[in-house]
Amino acid sequence: MTTVTVELLTVPEVMTRLKLGRSKVYDLIRSHRLVSIKIDGARRIPVDAVRDFVLGQMEEAA
């Protein structure tokens, strides 16, 4: 059996990492530019999704 470990971040943690406001983080989630999941009403963002978002932004800027 394979064990998968995924680190999940809260919206405030993503806000801190990306230096963005709450509204902007939710805008990114709503527009599907930042992947997230809901767990019983709590929004969580995988660390890999934040990394992928930043890498995508860097590619667009290049």
Side-chain angles (χ1 to χ4, degrees):
M1 184 163 115
T2 303
T3 302
V4 176
T5 303
V6 177
E7 184 181 357
L8 299 173
L9 301 172
T10 63
V11 169
E13 290 170 329
V14 173
M15 290 166 53
T16 299
R17 287 182 184 219
L18 295 179
K19 309 285 192 278
L20 294 173
R22 180 180 178 88
S23 295
K24 185 60 180 177
V25 172
Y26 278 108
D27 285 344
L28 293 171
I29 291 169
R30 266 191 296 279
S31 64
H32 303 285
R33 294 174 63 201
L34 184 62
V35 175
S36 71
I37 61 171
K38 276 185 108 175
I39 302 171
D40 292 333
R43 182 68 61 185
R44 295 293 179 262
I45 301 96
V47 169
D48 289 346
V50 176
R51 186 203 65 229
D52 292 346
F53 171 75
V54 172
L55 291 174
Q57 292 300 296
M58 290 172 62
E59 285 178 10
E60 285 180 23

Coordinates of all heavy atoms in Angstrom, one line a residue:
M1 N 0.8 -1.2 0.0 CA 0.0 0.0 0.0 C 0.9 1.2 0.0 O 1.9 1.3 0.7 CB -0.9 0.0 1.2 CG -1.9 1.1 1.3 SD -3.2 0.8 2.4 CE -2.8 2.1 3.6
T2 N 0.5 2.2 -0.8 CA 1.3 3.4 -0.9 C 0.7 4.5 0.0 O -0.5 4.7 0.0 CB 1.3 4.0 -2.4 OG1 1.8 2.9 -3.2 CG2 2.1 5.2 -2.5
T3 N 1.5 5.2 0.7 CA 1.1 6.3 1.6 C 1.4 7.6 0.9 O 2.6 7.8 0.5 CB 1.7 6.2 3.0 OG1 1.4 4.9 3.5 CG2 1.3 7.3 3.8
V4 N 0.4 8.5 0.7 CA 0.6 9.8 0.1 C 0.5 10.8 1.2 O -0.6 10.8 1.9 CB -0.4 10.0 -1.0 CG1 -0.2 11.4 -1.5 CG2 -0.2 9.0 -2.1
T5 N 1.4 11.7 1.4 CA 1.4 12.7 2.4 C 1.3 14.1 1.6 O 2.2 14.4 0.8 CB 2.6 12.7 3.3 OG1 2.7 11.5 3.9 CG2 2.5 13.8 4.3
V6 N 0.2 14.8 1.9 CA 0.0 16.1 1.2 C -0.1 17.1 2.3 O -1.0 17.0 3.2 CB -1.3 16.1 0.4 CG1 -1.5 17.5 -0.2 CG2 -1.2 15.0 -0.7
E7 N 0.7 18.1 2.3 CA 0.7 19.2 3.3 C -0.4 20.2 2.8 O -0.3 20.7 1.7 CB 2.0 19.9 3.4 CG 2.0 20.9 4.5 CD 3.3 21.7 4.7 OE1 4.3 21.3 4.0 OE2 3.4 22.6 5.5
L8 N -1.3 20.5 3.7 CA -2.4 21.4 3.4 C -2.2 22.7 4.1 O -1.8 22.7 5.3 CB -3.8 20.8 3.7 CG -4.1 19.6 2.9 CD1 -5.4 19.0 3.5 CD2 -4.2 19.8 1.5
L9 N -2.5 23.8 3.5 CA -2.4 25.2 4.1 C -3.8 25.8 4.2 O -4.7 25.5 3.4 CB -1.5 26.1 3.2 CG -0.1 25.6 2.9 CD1 0.5 26.5 1.8 CD2 0.7 25.6 4.2
T10 N -3.9 26.7 5.2 CA -5.1 27.4 5.4 C -5.0 28.7 4.5 O -3.9 29.0 4.0 CB -5.3 27.9 6.8 OG1 -4.2 28.8 7.2 CG2 -5.4 26.7 7.8
V11 N -6.1 29.4 4.3 CA -6.1 30.6 3.5 C -5.1 31.6 4.1 O -4.3 32.2 3.4 CB -7.5 31.1 3.3 CG1 -7.5 32.5 2.7 CG2 -8.3 30.2 2.4
P12 N -5.2 31.8 5.4 CA -4.2 32.8 6.0 C -2.8 32.4 5.8 O -1.9 33.3 5.6 CB -4.6 32.8 7.5 CG -6.0 32.5 7.5 CD -6.2 31.4 6.4
E13 N -2.5 31.1 5.8 CA -1.1 30.7 5.5 C -0.7 31.0 4.1 O 0.4 31.4 3.8 CB -0.9 29.2 5.8 CG -1.0 28.9 7.3 CD -1.1 27.4 7.6 OE1 -1.6 26.6 6.8 OE2 -0.6 27.0 8.7
V14 N -1.6 30.8 3.1 CA -1.3 31.1 1.7 C -1.2 32.6 1.6 O -0.3 33.1 0.8 CB -2.5 30.5 0.8 CG1 -2.3 31.0 -0.6 CG2 -2.5 29.0 0.9
M15 N -2.0 33.4 2.3 CA -1.9 34.8 2.2 C -0.5 35.3 2.6 O 0.1 36.1 1.9 CB -2.9 35.5 3.2 CG -4.4 35.3 2.7 SD -5.6 35.7 4.0 CE -5.0 37.4 4.5
T16 N 0.0 34.7 3.7 CA 1.4 35.0 4.1 C 2.4 34.6 3.1 O 3.3 35.4 2.8 CB 1.6 34.3 5.5 OG1 0.7 34.8 6.4 CG2 3.0 34.6 6.0
R17 N 2.3 33.4 2.6 CA 3.3 32.9 1.7 C 3.4 33.7 0.4 O 4.4 33.9 -0.2 CB 3.1 31.4 1.3 CG 3.5 30.5 2.5 CD 3.3 29.1 2.1 NE 3.5 28.2 3.3 CZ 4.2 27.1 3.2 NH1 4.6 26.6 2.1 NH2 4.4 26.4 4.3
L18 N 2.2 34.1 -0.1 CA 2.1 34.8 -1.4 C 2.1 36.3 -1.2 O 2.1 37.1 -2.2 CB 0.9 34.4 -2.2 CG 0.9 32.9 -2.6 CD1 -0.4 32.6 -3.4 CD2 2.1 32.6 -3.5
K19 N 2.0 36.8 0.0 CA 2.0 38.2 0.3 C 0.8 38.9 -0.4 O 0.9 39.9 -1.0 CB 3.3 38.9 -0.1 CG 4.5 38.3 0.4 CD 4.8 38.6 1.9 CE 6.2 38.2 2.3 NZ 6.4 36.8 2.7
L20 N -0.4 38.2 -0.2 CA -1.6 38.6 -0.9 C -2.7 38.7 0.2 O -2.6 38.1 1.2 CB -2.1 37.6 -1.9 CG -1.2 37.5 -3.2 CD1 -1.7 36.3 -4.0 CD2 -1.1 38.8 -4.0
G21 N -3.7 39.5 -0.1 CA -4.8 39.7 0.8 C -5.8 38.5 0.6 O -5.8 37.7 -0.3
R22 N -6.7 38.4 1.6 CA -7.7 37.3 1.6 C -8.6 37.3 0.4 O -8.8 36.3 -0.2 CB -8.6 37.6 2.9 CG -9.7 36.6 3.1 CD -10.4 36.9 4.4 NE -11.5 36.0 4.6 CZ -11.4 34.9 5.2 NH1 -10.3 34.5 5.7 NH2 -12.5 34.1 5.4
S23 N -9.0 38.5 -0.1 CA -9.9 38.5 -1.2 C -9.2 38.0 -2.5 O -9.8 37.3 -3.3 CB -10.4 40.0 -1.5 OG -11.2 40.4 -0.4
K24 N -7.9 38.4 -2.6 CA -7.2 37.9 -3.8 C -7.0 36.4 -3.8 O -7.1 35.8 -4.8 CB -5.8 38.7 -3.9 CG -5.0 38.4 -5.1 CD -5.8 38.8 -6.4 CE -5.1 38.5 -7.6 NZ -5.9 38.8 -8.8
V25 N -6.7 35.9 -2.6 CA -6.5 34.4 -2.6 C -7.8 33.7 -3.0 O -7.8 32.8 -3.7 CB -6.0 34.0 -1.2 CG1 -6.1 32.4 -1.0 CG2 -4.6 34.5 -0.9
Y26 N -9.0 34.2 -2.4 CA -10.2 33.6 -2.8 C -10.6 33.8 -4.3 O -11.2 33.0 -4.9 CB -11.4 34.1 -1.9 CG -11.4 33.4 -0.6 CD1 -11.0 33.9 0.6 CD2 -11.9 32.0 -0.6 CE1 -11.1 33.2 1.8 CE2 -11.9 31.3 0.6 CZ -11.5 31.9 1.8 OH -11.6 31.2 3.0
D27 N -10.2 35.0 -4.9 CA -10.3 35.2 -6.3 C -9.6 34.1 -7.1 O -10.1 33.6 -8.1 CB -9.8 36.6 -6.7 CG -10.8 37.7 -6.3 OD1 -12.0 37.4 -6.0 OD2 -10.3 38.9 -6.3
L28 N -8.3 33.8 -6.7 CA -7.5 32.8 -7.4 C -8.2 31.5 -7.3 O -8.1 30.7 -8.2 CB -6.1 32.8 -6.8 CG -5.3 34.1 -7.0 CD1 -4.0 34.0 -6.2 CD2 -5.0 34.2 -8.5
I29 N -8.8 31.2 -6.1 CA -9.4 29.9 -5.9 C -10.7 29.8 -6.8 O -10.9 28.8 -7.5 CB -9.8 29.7 -4.5 CG1 -8.5 29.5 -3.6 CG2 -10.8 28.5 -4.3 CD1 -8.7 29.5 -2.1
R30 N -11.5 30.9 -6.8 CA -12.7 30.9 -7.6 C -12.4 30.8 -9.1 O -13.2 30.2 -9.8 CB -13.5 32.2 -7.4 CG -14.5 32.1 -6.3 CD -15.4 33.4 -6.3 NE -14.7 34.6 -5.9 CZ -14.4 34.9 -4.7 NH1 -14.8 34.2 -3.7 NH2 -13.8 36.1 -4.4
S31 N -11.3 31.4 -9.6 CA -11.0 31.4 -11.0 C -10.2 30.1 -11.4 O -9.8 30.0 -12.5 CB -10.2 32.6 -11.4 OG -8.9 32.6 -10.7
H32 N -10.1 29.2 -10.4 CA -9.4 27.9 -10.6 C -7.9 28.1 -11.0 O -7.3 27.2 -11.6 CB -10.1 27.1 -11.7 CG -11.5 26.8 -11.4 ND1 -11.9 25.9 -10.4 CD2 -12.7 27.4 -11.8 CE1 -13.2 25.9 -10.3 NE2 -13.7 26.8 -11.2
R33 N -7.3 29.2 -10.6 CA -5.9 29.4 -10.8 C -5.1 28.9 -9.7 O -3.9 28.6 -9.8 CB -5.6 30.9 -11.0 CG -6.2 31.5 -12.3 CD -6.0 32.9 -12.4 NE -4.6 33.3 -12.5 CZ -4.2 34.5 -12.2 NH1 -5.0 35.5 -11.9 NH2 -2.9 34.8 -12.3
L34 N -5.8 28.7 -8.5 CA -5.2 28.1 -7.3 C -6.1 27.0 -6.9 O -7.2 27.2 -6.6 CB -5.0 29.1 -6.2 CG -4.3 28.7 -5.0 CD1 -2.9 28.3 -5.2 CD2 -4.3 29.8 -4.0
V35 N -5.5 25.7 -6.9 CA -6.3 24.6 -6.5 C -6.6 24.5 -5.0 O -5.6 24.8 -4.2 CB -5.6 23.3 -7.0 CG1 -6.3 22.0 -6.5 CG2 -5.4 23.3 -8.5
S36 N -7.8 24.2 -4.6 CA -8.1 24.0 -3.2 C -9.1 22.9 -3.1 O -9.8 22.5 -4.0 CB -8.6 25.3 -2.7 OG -9.9 25.6 -3.1
I37 N -9.3 22.5 -1.8 CA -10.3 21.5 -1.5 C -11.1 22.1 -0.2 O -10.6 22.9 0.5 CB -9.7 20.1 -1.2 CG1 -8.8 20.2 0.0 CG2 -9.0 19.5 -2.4 CD1 -8.3 18.8 0.5
K38 N -12.3 21.5 -0.1 CA -13.0 21.8 1.1 C -13.1 20.6 2.0 O -13.4 19.5 1.5 CB -14.4 22.3 0.8 CG -14.5 23.8 0.5 CD -15.9 24.2 0.3 CE -16.3 25.1 1.4 NZ -17.6 25.7 1.3
I39 N -12.9 20.7 3.3 CA -13.0 19.6 4.2 C -14.0 20.1 5.3 O -13.7 21.0 6.1 CB -11.7 19.3 4.9 CG1 -10.7 18.9 3.8 CG2 -11.9 18.2 5.9 CD1 -9.3 18.7 4.3
D40 N -15.2 19.6 5.2 CA -16.3 20.0 6.1 C -16.4 21.6 6.2 O -16.5 22.1 7.3 CB -16.1 19.4 7.5 CG -16.3 17.9 7.5 OD1 -17.0 17.4 6.6 OD2 -15.7 17.2 8.3
G41 N -16.4 22.2 5.1 CA -16.5 23.7 5.1 C -15.3 24.5 5.3 O -15.3 25.7 5.1
A42 N -14.2 23.8 5.6 CA -12.9 24.5 5.8 C -12.1 24.4 4.4 O -11.9 23.3 3.9 CB -12.1 23.8 6.9
R43 N -11.7 25.5 3.9 CA -10.9 25.6 2.7 C -9.4 25.3 3.0 O -8.9 25.9 3.9 CB -11.1 27.0 2.1 CG -10.4 27.2 0.8 CD -11.0 26.4 -0.4 NE -12.4 26.8 -0.6 CZ -13.2 26.1 -1.5 NH1 -12.7 25.2 -2.3 NH2 -14.4 26.5 -1.7
R44 N -8.9 24.4 2.2 CA -7.4 24.0 2.3 C -6.8 24.0 1.0 O -7.4 23.6 0.0 CB -7.3 22.7 3.0 CG -7.8 22.6 4.4 CD -6.9 23.5 5.4 NE -7.4 23.5 6.7 CZ -8.2 24.4 7.3 NH1 -8.6 25.4 6.6 NH2 -8.5 24.3 8.5
I45 N -5.5 24.4 0.9 CA -4.8 24.5 -0.3 C -3.5 23.7 -0.2 O -2.7 23.9 0.7 CB -4.4 26.0 -0.6 CG1 -5.7 26.9 -0.7 CG2 -3.6 26.1 -1.9 CD1 -6.0 27.6 0.5
P46 N -3.3 22.7 -1.1 CA -2.1 21.9 -1.0 C -0.9 22.8 -1.3 O -0.9 23.7 -2.1 CB -2.3 20.9 -2.1 CG -3.8 20.9 -2.4 CD -4.3 22.3 -2.1
V47 N 0.2 22.5 -0.6 CA 1.4 23.2 -0.8 C 1.9 23.2 -2.2 O 2.3 24.2 -2.8 CB 2.6 22.7 0.2 CG1 3.9 23.2 -0.2 CG2 2.2 23.0 1.6
D48 N 1.7 22.0 -2.8 CA 2.1 21.8 -4.3 C 1.3 22.8 -5.2 O 1.8 23.2 -6.2 CB 1.9 20.4 -4.7 CG 2.9 19.4 -4.1 OD1 3.9 19.9 -3.5 OD2 2.7 18.2 -4.2
A49 N 0.0 23.1 -4.8 CA -0.8 24.0 -5.6 C -0.2 25.4 -5.6 O -0.2 26.1 -6.6 CB -2.2 24.0 -5.1
V50 N 0.3 25.8 -4.4 CA 0.9 27.1 -4.3 C 2.2 27.2 -5.1 O 2.4 28.1 -5.8 CB 1.2 27.5 -2.8 CG1 1.9 28.8 -2.7 CG2 -0.1 27.5 -2.0
R51 N 3.0 26.1 -5.0 CA 4.2 26.1 -5.8 C 3.9 26.1 -7.3 O 4.5 26.9 -8.0 CB 5.0 24.8 -5.5 CG 6.4 24.8 -6.2 CD 6.9 23.3 -6.3 NE 6.0 22.6 -7.2 CZ 5.6 21.4 -6.9 NH1 5.9 20.8 -5.9 NH2 4.8 20.8 -7.8
D52 N 2.9 25.3 -7.7 CA 2.5 25.3 -9.1 C 2.0 26.7 -9.6 O 2.3 27.1 -10.7 CB 1.5 24.2 -9.4 CG 2.0 22.8 -9.2 OD1 3.3 22.6 -9.1 OD2 1.2 21.9 -9.1
F53 N 1.3 27.3 -8.8 CA 0.8 28.7 -9.1 C 1.9 29.6 -9.3 O 2.0 30.4 -10.3 CB -0.2 29.2 -8.0 CG -0.5 30.6 -8.2 CD1 -1.4 31.0 -9.2 CD2 0.1 31.6 -7.5 CE1 -1.7 32.3 -9.4 CE2 -0.3 32.9 -7.7 CZ -1.2 33.3 -8.6
V54 N 2.9 29.6 -8.4 CA 4.0 30.5 -8.5 C 4.9 30.2 -9.7 O 5.3 31.1 -10.5 CB 4.9 30.5 -7.2 CG1 6.2 31.3 -7.4 CG2 4.1 31.0 -6.0
L55 N 5.1 28.9 -10.0 CA 5.9 28.6 -11.2 C 5.2 29.0 -12.4 O 5.8 29.5 -13.4 CB 6.2 27.1 -11.2 CG 7.1 26.6 -10.1 CD1 7.2 25.0 -10.1 CD2 8.5 27.2 -10.2
G56 N 3.9 28.8 -12.5 CA 3.1 29.3 -13.6 C 3.2 30.8 -13.9 O 3.3 31.2 -15.0
Q57 N 3.2 31.5 -12.8 CA 3.3 33.0 -12.9 C 4.7 33.4 -13.4 O 4.8 34.3 -14.2 CB 3.0 33.6 -11.5 CG 1.6 33.5 -11.0 CD 0.6 34.1 -12.0 OE1 0.6 35.3 -12.2 NE2 -0.2 33.3 -12.6
M58 N 5.7 32.6 -13.0 CA 7.0 32.9 -13.4 C 7.2 32.6 -14.9 O 7.8 33.4 -15.6 CB 8.0 32.1 -12.6 CG 8.1 32.6 -11.2 SD 9.1 31.5 -10.1 CE 10.7 31.7 -10.8
E59 N 6.5 31.5 -15.4 CA 6.6 31.2 -16.8 C 5.9 32.2 -17.6 O 6.4 32.6 -18.7 CB 6.0 29.8 -17.0 CG 6.8 28.7 -16.6 CD 6.1 27.3 -16.8 OE1 5.0 27.3 -17.4 OE2 6.6 26.3 -16.3
E60 N 4.8 32.7 -17.1 CA 4.0 33.8 -17.9 C 4.9 35.1 -18.0 O 4.8 35.8 -18.9 CB 2.7 34.1 -17.2 CG 1.6 33.0 -17.4 CD 0.3 33.4 -16.7 OE1 0.1 34.6 -16.5 OE2 -0.5 32.5 -16.5
A61 N 5.6 35.3 -16.9 CA 6.4 36.6 -16.8 C 7.6 36.5 -17.7 O 8.2 37.5 -18.1 CB 6.8 36.9 -15.4
A62 N 8.1 35.3 -18.1 CA 9.3 35.1 -18.8 C 9.1 35.4 -20.3 O 8.1 35.5 -20.8 CB 9.9 33.7 -18.6

